[in-house]
Amino acid sequence: MSKTNSRLYHNTVISIVIGILLLPIVATFLYSISTRWGATILPDGLTLNWYLKLLTEERFLWSFVRSLGVCFAAMGLCIVLMLPAIFVVYYRLRYLKFICNMIVILPFAVPPVVGSVGLIQIYSDGLLPISGTFWILIFTYFTVIIPFVYRSIVNSLEAINYVDMIDAAKLLGANTFKAFIYVVLPNLKKGLLSAIFISISILIGEFVFANILVGTRFETLQVYLYNTKAVSGHYSSALVIFYFAFIFVFTYLASVFSKVERKSVKRRKN
Amino acid sequence: MSGLSLSEDSKNALHNESMAVKKLKKLFSYGLCLAPFMLFYLLFEVFPLVWVLVNSFVYEEEYSLENYMELFNSEFMTQAFENSLYLAIVSSIIALVLALLFINSIRTTNGKIKNILISLVNICSNFSGVPLAFAFIIILGVNGAVTLLLKNMGLIDGFNIYGSAGILTIYVYFQIPIAILLLYPAFDAVKEEWHEAARLLGATNCQYARKVVIPVLAPSIFGTFVILFANAIGAYASVYALTAGNYNVVTVRIAALVSGDIYLDPNLAAAISVILMVIMLIVVILNSLIIRRYNYVKNK
């Protein structure tokens, strides 16, 4: 293969794959700003009406607020529960690290549909009848993000010399609790921020648990999106683009913070 | 003399006691840190799975294998498993091949373009589930832009996005970004010098790819395949949103049996779930057996 030929080949492969990946997104965007797009290849005319309609639709705004509420609650719960547990394991019970890695991989390995079978049965009646309410979503979403929160916090913790930090704080008269709150925690800020952004961008797109466990009784963004499919394709497209723009911002922020983290790790190693 | 030793004894006893208290306190504080997380984890991750496992063996309030018998004797259920396995295997392989070709090509571009392309892929990896199904209806539906374009060019008569070809397309779409993101770091193990060395020894590009690149990448390729396979066989949102639950795959069957409005049978759903998890486990075990063969790459 000559050089220009191989350049041509590589560019073709890149263009085809990127083209496949972008096509649905670009098409949805075009659809969301077009007046009518019937039996033609390109839309008839352009308008921003669908976005205006979206932003004035109360049902949409409420579903978005509900989604944000559940996502932030689940994320807060996850971080509050995992921080002390991770800290104890990494500071005192290091032989438990191996078990920890197994524990955090389980929510990742079990398909949501399988998890919802047990959840719906256990929490429909009995001691904790929370199926069909937002409580079950908060607690289930907590399990969904465990692997991501764990990775973010642990990466951040391993990048700093937390044992020396705590020893130094103790020499100066602090107890372990104070040392953790005032010395270690501020140094985990970037890891926590990356955990927050990645969790929100995952949870805001969650549909399976929301639809099976709660449905329209507490309509989240994804369930609302599913329910609008009969209304108008243009309106749904505007909703899809809105959602996509939202997760775009959050994944971008998550990558910024994890990048800063990686850079600081590198510097330490050099 | 004796008085002194006595006081020392009591001191030791006191010391031991305070040590014991300290140890207890320590254990208590460890428990305090670990217990809340473990409680929630047990309640919402472990118990549901235990429920599924136990109740898959319960039929009309008695322990039996009836649920599993029903599964294997029902053509509808075995068809669901066939469809799921077909979609998972074929979509994983297609996505793997496309990802390998793509990564091989972007490695020839310069750093800046490479970063932009990888970020783009990362963004696309978020495009799945209900929004993706909608986008597919817009471009590949009966009056979709791409369907019309291909029709006008005379390439196809029409495209049924709600049939197996359409669903395979959507699966391949959401698998490609994952395959690229998982395989991309593995390519760092392939050194450019090897290519030159192979060429000097008279190997063609094809031989180099077959005899050097693929064996080096094999463990990563199989590992990625397992994740893609698990991702596809557990996928529900896309196929449900696209066909409103009319296409027969395992996850749609499970969901219909626990939250459908016609016929509920959670224990049968549990049995399907157990089989699904067993299939995933078998793939993981097969993978680790295959990877063991390639250990020599790491040892060298």
Side-chain angles (χ1 to χ4, degrees):
Chain A
M1 228 191 289
S2 73
K3 209 148 206 181
T4 46
N5 261 346
S6 87
R7 192 67 264 146
L8 188 71
Y9 158 78
H10 289 310
N11 285 344
T12 317
V13 171
I14 293 173
S15 320
I16 289 176
V17 174
I18 289 291
I20 293 173
L21 290 181
L22 286 184
L23 183 65
I25 300 167
V26 173
T28 312
F29 178 66
L30 273 181
Y31 207 72
S32 75
I33 58 165
S34 61
T35 48
R36 226 175 57 86
W37 195 358
T40 50
I41 290 162
L42 285 173
D44 296 346
L46 301 181
T47 174
L48 281 177
N49 258 342
W50 305 112
Y51 287 93
L52 201 71
K53 206 176 155 197
L54 184 69
L55 294 174
T56 50
E57 169 68 49
E58 259 186 43
R59 196 172 154 198
F60 156 70
L61 293 171
W62 275 115
S63 74
F64 188 50
V65 169
R66 280 189 212 108
S67 271
L68 283 181
V70 168
C71 294
F72 275 98
M75 185 205 65
L77 180 72
C78 194
I79 289 178
V80 168
L81 291 178
M82 288 195 85
L83 262 181
I86 291 175
F87 178 68
V88 163
V89 169
Y90 273 73
Y91 186 54
R92 286 292 183 213
L93 310 167
R94 250 168 269 177
Y95 52 89
L96 287 179
K97 260 192 210 174
F98 172 72
I99 299 171
C100 259
N101 286 331
M102 307 268 277
I103 284 178
V104 300
I105 208 71
L106 189 62
F108 195 69
V110 179
V113 172
V114 172
S116 65
V117 173
L119 284 166
I120 213 170
Q121 300 307 319
I122 297 176
Y123 298 107
S124 284
D125 43 34
L127 287 174
L128 207 59
I130 53 173
S131 185
T133 69
F134 60 92
W135 290 108
I136 189 118
L137 272 192
I138 294 177
F139 297 140
T140 314
Y141 281 6
F142 147 75
T143 63
V144 171
I145 53 175
I146 286 174
F148 306 97
V149 171
Y150 178 79
R151 257 308 21 119
S152 297
I153 295 180
V154 164
N155 285 349
S156 191
L157 196 62
E158 280 176 340
I160 60 170
N161 201 341
Y162 59 97
V163 179
D164 285 353
M165 276 183 182
I166 293 170
D167 288 347
K170 277 182 170 171
L171 268 178
L172 295 170
N175 57 29
T176 316
F177 178 71
K178 270 194 172 161
F180 174 68
I181 297 287
Y182 291 110
V183 181
V184 178
L185 203 52
N187 282 292
L188 298 182
K189 201 172 87 190
K190 277 164 197 151
L192 285 174
L193 282 172
S194 128
I196 288 171
F197 290 124
I198 199 162
S199 303
I200 297 296
S201 67
I202 288 167
L203 291 181
I204 205 96
E206 210 289 325
F207 170 74
V208 184
F209 283 126
N211 195 47
I212 295 180
L213 297 177
V214 185
T216 47
R217 281 164 288 184
F218 185 82
E219 200 174 53
T220 60
L221 189 63
Q222 293 285 314
V223 177
Y224 173 63
L225 175 60
Y226 178 76
N227 289 333
T228 59
K229 73 171 187 175
V231 182
S232 150
H234 297 284
Y235 179 71
S236 309
S237 303
L239 184 49
V240 168
I241 294 298
F242 174 86
Y243 154 79
F244 199 61
F246 183 85
I247 50 170
F248 174 76
V249 172
F250 271 74
T251 40
Y252 173 73
L253 289 173
S255 76
V256 165
F257 286 112
S258 64
K259 238 177 235 158
V260 173
E261 198 71 44
R262 245 175 278 145
K263 263 182 201 158
S264 67
V265 174
K266 246 184 215 161
R267 221 181 300 137
R268 216 166 287 276
K269 276 180 185 156
N270 288 344
Chain B
M1 260 321 250
S2 67
L4 197 82
S5 73
L6 235 176
S7 83
E8 208 139 77
D9 270 359
S10 62
K11 239 190 217 165
N12 274 345
L14 248 163
H15 184 68
N16 281 344
E17 206 179 85
S18 76
M19 280 295 275
V21 170
K22 249 187 188 168
K23 207 167 185 189
L24 264 177
K25 263 189 178 168
K26 222 183 213 172
L27 280 178
F28 180 71
S29 68
Y30 293 169
L32 209 62
C33 287
L34 290 172
F37 171 76
M38 285 319 290
L39 177 73
F40 277 89
Y41 185 80
L42 282 176
L43 279 176
F44 296 98
E45 187 65 45
V46 179
F47 287 177
L49 286 179
V50 173
W51 189 96
V52 165
L53 190 62
V54 171
N55 282 274
S56 71
F57 294 103
V58 174
Y59 186 78
E60 289 179 350
E61 306 194 351
E62 267 175 48
Y63 285 102
S64 80
L65 286 173
E66 192 57 38
N67 289 320
Y68 291 95
M69 302 292 281
E70 203 177 319
L71 263 182
F72 290 117
N73 288 330
S74 152
E75 250 173 58
F76 193 48
M77 292 298 171
T78 46
Q79 186 203 33
F81 275 102
E82 274 166 25
N83 284 346
S84 278
L85 279 172
Y86 166 80
L87 281 172
I89 293 171
V90 176
S91 73
S92 302
I93 291 173
I94 296 175
L96 268 178
V97 171
L98 285 173
L100 285 170
L101 291 174
F102 179 73
I103 298 170
N104 180 45
S105 287
I106 62 167
R107 270 166 61 86
T108 61
T109 61
N110 69 48
K112 215 172 184 183
I113 297 176
K114 216 187 306 182
N115 281 343
I116 293 174
L117 290 174
I118 287 295
S119 315
L120 237 139
V121 172
N122 191 15
I123 292 162
C124 292
S125 73
N126 285 312
F127 206 53
S128 64
V130 185
L132 180 64
F134 277 23
F136 264 67
I137 294 171
I138 293 167
I139 55 170
L140 283 169
V142 182
N143 277 328
V146 173
T147 315
L148 291 174
L149 193 69
L150 294 175
K151 241 186 198 169
N152 287 358
M153 285 159 72
L155 288 175
I156 50 166
D157 274 341
F159 182 72
N160 183 11
I161 191 182
Y162 310 105
S164 66
I167 288 160
L168 182 62
T169 316
I170 206 169
Y171 270 60
V172 169
Y173 180 88
F174 69 66
Q175 299 267 60
I176 291 174
I178 304 173
I180 292 173
L181 293 176
L182 288 173
L183 274 175
Y184 180 61
F187 264 73
D188 287 343
V190 182
K191 301 277 183 299
E192 197 45 45
E193 302 91 76
W194 297 351
H195 195 182
E196 286 152 21
R199 248 198 230 154
L200 277 177
L201 294 170
T204 62
N205 275 336
C206 195
Q207 279 174 322
Y208 167 68
R210 219 179 57 233
K211 297 263 161 94
V212 181
V213 181
I214 301 288
V216 169
L217 290 177
S220 311
I221 293 176
F222 284 114
T224 306
F225 178 82
V226 171
I227 295 179
L228 292 177
F229 178 86
N231 183 46
I233 206 161
Y236 169 72
S238 315
V239 60
Y240 176 76
L242 191 64
T243 67
N246 285 324
Y247 194 75
N248 194 14
V249 291
V250 175
T251 46
V252 167
R253 286 281 69 74
I254 296 174
L257 285 171
V258 291
S259 72
D261 24 44
I262 307 161
Y263 171 69
L264 294 183
D265 188 346
N267 292 11
L268 185 60
I272 306 175
S273 302
V274 171
I275 304 269
L276 179 64
M277 298 296 285
V278 168
I279 291 175
M280 285 166 72
L281 204 64
I282 290 172
V283 173
V284 170
I285 292 168
L286 277 180
N287 169 62
S288 62
L289 288 178
I290 294 171
I291 283 183
R292 206 172 287 165
R293 275 190 52 206
Y294 288 98
N295 264 349
Y296 66 89
V297 177
K298 262 186 199 154
N299 292 341
K300 274 189 184 173

